[in-house]
Amino acid sequence: MMTGTGHARSRRDEEEKKEEGKEPQEAMPAPKRVEEKADKKKAPPKLQTKKVKLYSGARKTARATASIYPGTGKVRVNGRILEIWEPEVARLHMLAPAQVSGELRARFDIDVKVSGGGFMGQADAAAMAIARAYVDQSRGNEARERMNAYNKYLLSGDPRQTEPKKFGGPGARRKRQKSYR
């Protein structure tokens, strides 16, 4: 039985093969390596995927990312078709940019991913992302003017944030009442 490290064993095996007259084979000769590199360069180019543009929207702590690509006018939010989104108030808010855009909706599909915040913050963020996508795909400033006429916050965003809580009370502004009588 042989003992020792694997390195020593492999050297002994090579010596035994040489004694028997068998040369150990090299792993790969140098000319083959060069040919393989040349073959790799001749490989067919990868299939090109569709160009997808991303647009962002934000409201309070909600963040949305919309991806737009040529299609038939479907709008999906987090994988669900927008027409069956609940609650209805949020659905109507997210549908507004699609309705204002007019004929653009029929030419493009939009997928929106939304996270964070509450349901209305998410609706505002998604609406902003959808509106930015439609405006970027349109020619000229007509779509931008229509969006701004409908709601100025669809493209620029609403800067209002909740005020942080302070010490001395349960909320941002409310303090404990004092009575001097």
Side-chain angles (χ1 to χ4, degrees), residues 2 8-27:
M2 289 194 230
R9 258 189 247 134
S10 63
R11 286 183 59 197
R12 271 190 241 127
D13 291 341
E14 288 177 14
E15 290 173 6
E16 289 174 5
K17 287 180 182 177
K18 284 181 183 177
E19 290 174 5
E20 293 175 10
K22 296 180 181 176
E23 293 282 330
Q25 294 180 347
E26 292 183 20

Side-chain angles (χ1 to χ4, degrees), residues 114-131:
V114 186
S115 63
F119 73 94
M120 267 327 270
Q122 286 188 352
D124 280 337
M128 183 189 302
I130 292 168

Side-chain angles (χ1 to χ4, degrees), residues 97-113:
Q99 291 172 341
V100 171
S101 68
E103 76 286 344
L104 278 174
R105 182 176 182 185
R107 295 189 344 216
F108 296 102
D109 285 348
I110 295 182
D111 286 335
V112 183
K113 301 281 186 221

Side-chain angles (χ1 to χ4, degrees), residues 136-181:
D136 189 51
Q137 295 300 318
S138 69
R139 304 273 187 243
N141 287 334
E142 182 185 347
R144 180 179 298 278
E145 290 169 3
R146 278 190 290 177
M147 292 290 178
N148 280 331
Y150 178 77
N151 184 354
K152 69 177 184 175
Y153 294 124
L154 277 179
L155 297 176
S156 62
D158 193 348
R160 296 176 294 174
Q161 297 282 329
T162 55
E163 191 173 340
K165 180 194 176 303
K166 312 320 185 286
F167 62 91
R173 303 250 174 129
R174 196 173 133 215
K175 304 288 183 237
R176 185 176 170 136
Q177 290 185 342
K178 298 181 250 185
S179 174
Y180 295 107
R181 296 181 199 164

Side-chain angles (χ1 to χ4, degrees), residues 33-142:
R33 290 183 194 160
V34 174
E35 289 174 16
E36 285 181 11
K37 287 181 183 177
D39 289 341
K40 287 182 183 177
K41 289 180 184 176
K42 293 179 185 177
K46 293 181 181 178
L47 296 174
Q48 292 187 359
T49 57
K50 290 189 265 182
K51 288 269 185 172
V52 177
K53 294 189 86 178
L54 299 176
Y55 302 91
S56 64
R59 174 73 174 109
K60 294 187 178 180
T61 58
R63 302 288 178 256
T65 304
S67 57
I68 189 167
Y69 47 90
T72 59
K74 294 177 187 164
V75 179
R76 287 184 216 92
V77 179
N78 288 346
R80 282 195 280 175
I81 296 172
L82 186 56
E83 281 75 15
I84 61 171
W85 190 265
E86 289 294 330
E88 186 179 3
V89 176
R91 175 182 56 224
L92 294 175
H93 200 74
M94 289 186 275
L95 270 174
Q99 291 172 341
V100 171
S101 68
E103 76 286 344
L104 278 174
R105 182 176 182 185
R107 295 189 344 216
F108 296 102
D109 285 348
I110 295 182
D111 286 335
V112 183
K113 301 281 186 221
V114 186
S115 63
F119 73 94
M120 267 327 270
Q122 286 188 352
D124 280 337
M128 183 189 302
I130 292 168
R132 286 179 175 176
Y134 282 135
V135 166
D136 189 51
Q137 295 300 318
S138 69
R139 304 273 187 243
N141 287 334
E142 182 185 347

